[in-house]
Amino acid sequence: MNIQEIRDQFPILKQQVNGHPLVYLDSSATSQKPYAVIEALRDYYTNYNSNVHRGAHTLGSLATDAYENARDKVKSFIHARESAEIVFTRGTTASLNLVAQCYVREFLKEGDEILITLMEHHSNLIPWQQAANKTGATLRYIPIQPDGTIRLEDVEEAITSKTKFVSITHVSNVMGTIHPVKQIAAIAHRHGAVICVDAAQSAPHLQLDVQDLDCDFMAISGHKMVGPTGIGVLYGKKALLEQMTPYEYGGEMIDHVDLYESTWKELPWKFEGGTPNIAGAIGLGAAIDFLQQIGLTNIRQHENQLVSYALEQLSLIEEVSIYGPKQPELRSGLVTFNVSDVHPHDLATVLDSEGIAIRAGHHCCQPLMRWLNVSSTARASFYIYNTEEDIDALVKGLKRAISYFNYVSQ
Ligand SMILES: Cc1ncc(COP(=O)(O)O)c(CNc2co[nH]c2=O)c1O
């Protein structure tokens, strides 16, 4: 994997920020986009923009073919059994809310239990919290370890005959931990529970195989995997999706509409009401082609090297405390940390003055911040276009920020 050739594919990396070359370390929030994705969007809007599925003209057929071809690419990318199991949504948040609305709120009742962890992003916590409040089901939490890992014995203990639904992030967007979702799915299924995997932070970085994981649902965001914003995926086992009634009604998703009753189109279209994000789906298809050209194994290896280097270099700064597992192999491409006596927002501001973009805040994980006993943290996240030189720039900026803010203790 020639890193410079890859970097040359991302026009934004040529940007100067505050007089410095951009060092983009915020891919966990959203990834940058290669020419291939930008060109796919330009080509669609320039040459065959049209609405899909009902057109009787050439542009409509071209747009429909491209839209459904993108769906087939997603199916292959996550190794789903068939394209009917791939529902296009706005992103992970929309996918998780669709499951909450059309499965959990419909099928769970008083006395049932929903199981998550306190490491979840708000979009994989609030939908189940509100569904529990609405249905009378009980929301419970799997205990986590100080380093952000999960012990399978704790999962075994937490899942009971009352557990009907488990939802867990594949990779924590704060701790960076890669969770053993395949083993957790097996435990859930042994107790008759359904499992949903939040793959927002894993789909861009790990080779996913939903049949091997045996998850029942999976939520993905296109913008985190060099695709456009506003497009994502809900994968669902066909047997489950068939049982679910849509909650967004209108065009595209109907079969027959009478004055007082209607019937729905077959999967996946019954869940795709209204004009879809056609360009976004086509852009996501181009993103998948781009990532597969590099190879998910190569991506994982590259990020593992970067995380190892980042952990090594950040650990040398005594004012830095790092959250998450010490073992790089247990992590995906991000490192969350704090610097003593420097607020993460101040840190991010100083780094930005040097062209370095990191994320600071609670990362939509307020329960986790409380568990860590901090109001916010700083996070550097890496992707295919980052280098060890980017990490060197981060370390240099951190040291500058520390000297700037720690004048009192010096
Ligand atoms: C684990 C996880 N789940 C769900 C989401 C929601 O994805 P969306 O629907 O595409 O917004 C995010 C976004 N995480 C972050 C967005 O910005 N900083 C982040 O860490 C995430 O990291």
Side-chain angles (χ1 to χ4, degrees):
M1 186 166 103
N2 180 319
I3 184 66
Q4 195 49 54
E5 285 173 3
I6 289 172
R7 285 177 62 85
D8 291 344
Q9 295 303 308
F10 291 81
I12 201 167
L13 298 181
K14 299 175 180 64
Q15 285 280 348
Q16 290 273 322
V17 172
N18 297 319
H20 298 271
L22 169 63
V23 176
Y24 187 73
L25 298 174
D26 196 21
S27 297
S28 286
T30 196
S31 65
Q32 296 304 344
K33 318 305 171 190
Y35 285 114
V37 170
I38 298 165
E39 173 53 27
L41 298 173
R42 188 203 63 78
D43 179 41
Y44 166 68
Y45 281 123
T46 305
N47 299 315
Y48 61 104
N49 173 57
S50 168
N51 213 325
V52 290
H53 293 146
R54 298 184 309 281
H57 52 68
T58 301
L59 291 184
S61 302
L62 292 172
T64 300
D65 291 349
Y67 182 70
E68 294 304 332
N69 184 35
R71 194 190 309 274
D72 291 341
K73 286 180 181 178
V74 174
K75 181 204 73 166
S76 305
F77 186 64
I78 62 173
H79 195 228
R81 292 170 188 79
E82 51 185 294
S83 294
E85 298 180 315
I86 305 300
V87 178
F88 281 127
T89 66
R90 281 194 330 280
T92 298
T93 300
S95 299
L96 294 168
N97 277 277
L98 194 160
V99 176
Q101 193 67 35
C102 301
Y103 184 82
V104 175
R105 286 172 178 247
E106 285 299 308
F107 297 112
L108 268 71
K109 61 189 183 306
E110 181 109 22
D112 291 341
E113 293 187 352
I114 300 169
L115 202 52
I116 61 175
T117 80
L118 59 72
M119 264 181 289
E120 304 310 323
H121 183 280
H122 292 160
S123 63
N124 195 35
L125 188 153
I126 301 169
W128 322 122
Q129 175 194 82
Q130 298 306 308
N133 295 343
K134 189 78 177 172
T135 58
T138 303
L139 180 62
R140 295 181 55 235
Y141 289 80
I142 300 169
I144 64 175
Q145 298 306 299
D147 66 354
T149 54
I150 294 172
R151 297 185 316 182
L152 290 178
E153 53 265 46
D154 290 334
V155 179
E156 287 280 7
E157 195 170 325
I159 295 188
T160 69
S161 57
K162 291 181 181 177
T163 311
K164 297 291 181 259
F165 188 80
V166 181
S167 196
I168 187 159
T169 189
H170 196 174
V171 169
S172 165
N173 66 315
V174 172
M175 308 296 264
T177 338
I178 301 171
H179 295 312
V181 292
K182 179 174 179 178
Q183 292 88 328
I184 295 170
I187 298 168
H189 291 154
R190 270 208 311 277
H191 291 81
V194 159
I195 184 164
C196 178
V197 173
D198 171 352
Q201 297 291 351
S202 59
H205 306 278
L206 306 175
Q207 181 62 65
L208 297 183
D209 181 334
V210 290
Q211 295 184 63
D212 179 54
L213 295 176
D214 197 22
C215 56
D216 300 292
F217 296 107
M218 179 178 277
I220 292 170
S221 288
H223 71 94
K224 296 197 192 280
M225 47 184 285
V226 307
T229 50
I231 190 72
V233 172
L234 170 66
Y235 158 78
K237 283 181 180 173
K238 189 175 181 181
L240 289 171
L241 293 174
E242 292 287 14
Q243 294 172 38
M244 293 156 61
T245 303
Y247 79 115
E248 271 194 320
Y249 303 105
E252 297 274 339
M253 53 78 64
I254 53 95
D255 178 29
H256 189 82
V257 180
D258 273 334
L259 290 182
Y260 303 103
E261 276 304 330
S262 299
T263 57
W264 320 127
K265 209 167 181 177
E266 68 274 20
L267 286 175
W269 300 292
K270 80 171 177 179
F271 289 115
E272 295 183 358
T275 298
N277 182 353
I278 304 162
I282 292 168
L284 178 57
I288 288 172
D289 290 343
F290 184 84
L291 294 179
Q292 289 184 321
Q293 200 179 359
I294 295 172
L296 273 296
T297 306
N298 292 328
I299 292 171
R300 174 70 186 139
Q301 281 170 355
H302 177 63
E303 288 178 10
N304 204 267
Q305 286 163 5
L306 289 179
V307 169
S308 302
Y309 184 65
L311 290 172
E312 175 196 298
Q313 293 302 311
L314 291 175
S315 304
L316 297 175
I317 307 174
E318 63 174 323
E319 295 86 350
V320 170
S321 36
I322 296 170
Y323 303 98
K326 290 185 171 33
Q327 308 90 319
E329 63 275 13
L330 298 183
R331 284 172 169 272
S332 184
L334 67 96
V335 180
T336 298
F337 58 93
N338 263 320
V339 175
S340 49
D341 300 329
V342 182
H343 192 282
H345 285 99
D346 292 335
L347 198 55
T349 304
V350 170
L351 292 173
D352 179 57
S353 71
E354 301 193 348
I356 302 167
I358 68 164
R359 176 93 13 193
H362 55 64
H363 314 288
C364 297
C365 292
Q366 288 182 7
L368 179 58
M369 292 295 126
R370 280 193 284 276
W371 185 77
L372 293 170
N373 199 27
V374 291
S375 64
S376 59
T377 57
R379 184 187 68 194
S381 50
F382 317 111
Y383 206 7
I384 47 183
Y385 35 68
N386 288 119
T387 62
E388 290 189 359
E389 289 72 25
D390 290 340
I391 295 166
D392 293 339
L394 171 66
V395 168
K396 180 169 169 278
L398 286 180
K399 288 176 176 174
R400 182 167 168 267
I402 288 165
S403 65
Y404 183 79
F405 285 106
N406 277 1
Y407 65 93
V408 173
S409 56
Q410 281 164 357

